[in-house]
Amino acid sequence: MDEADFMRRAIALSCQGVEEGGGPFGAVVVKDGRILGEGRNAVVPARDPTAHAEIVAIRAACTALGTHDLTGAVIYTSCEPCPMCLGAVWWARIREIVYANDRADAAAIGFDDAAIYEEVAAPVAARRLPLRRLLAAEAMAAFRAWEAKPDKVPY
C-alpha cells in the first residue's frame, strides 16, 4: 500500500462513520507501511465527545503495539485534526500528519474549531471558559511523588 491507499482508507472510514451516525471523519495510523489502527468519528453513536477518528485510531494503534509511544508513525486523516486530536497526535509522538479536507472545509459544514484555537491561544484570565485553581498545594503531592518515582515511564 502507498500513501494514497492509506488516505483512501481514511476517507472510506469517514463515509462509514456518516452511515453509522457519526461525523464525516476517518483516520488510520501507519508505521513501517502497515496500518496499526483505524478510527472513524463515533461521537454521537458512542455518546463520547472524545471519540474523534484520530483518537480512536491512536487508541487502536497503541493497543496493537502495546505501548503509548507511536514514534515513527504517520496518521492519515480525512480532515485536518481539531485541537484535541492535534494534542493527542503530539502526545503519541506521531511524526507526521497527512490530511485531506482542511479546517475551512470542516467549518463550512458546521465543524468549526476556530473558537477552540482562539481559546487555547488566549491568556487564562481572558478565556471564555472559566478556569480557577483550587487546592493547588495539596495537588502538588502527586507531582512530588511522580518526580521521586525511580521507575516512572516518562511520556
Side-chain angles (χ1 to χ4, degrees), residues 1 9-10 13 16 26-29 35-40 53-61:
M1 293 182 80
R9 180 63 187 148
L13 288 163
Q16 187 179 359
V28 295
V29 174
I35 294 176
L36 299 175
E38 297 185 338
R40 59 186 169 276
E54 296 89 342
I55 302 287
V56 174
I58 288 168
R59 288 176 180 160

Side-chain angles (χ1 to χ4, degrees), residues 71-133:
T71 296
V74 175
I75 190 164
Y76 293 84
T77 180
S78 64
C79 188
E80 181 181 357
C82 75
M84 177 182 69
C85 293
L86 182 60
V89 168
W90 273 95
W91 279 110
R93 294 188 175 101
I94 291 172
R95 72 174 170 85
E96 184 180 14
I97 299 167
V98 181
Y99 65 92
N101 298 319
D102 67 15
R103 69 175 87 169
D105 298 323
I109 62 163
F111 294 92
D112 191 349
D113 297 327
I116 301 170
Y117 282 105
E118 290 169 11
E119 183 85 356
V120 170
V124 171
R127 293 184 182 171
R128 294 185 315 189
L129 181 61
L131 281 87
R132 59 188 181 93
R133 292 184 78 177

Side-chain angles (χ1 to χ4, degrees), residues 53-72:
E54 296 89 342
I55 302 287
V56 174
I58 288 168
R59 288 176 180 160
C62 288
T63 297
L65 290 181
T67 182
H68 65 281
D69 187 344
L70 298 177
T71 296

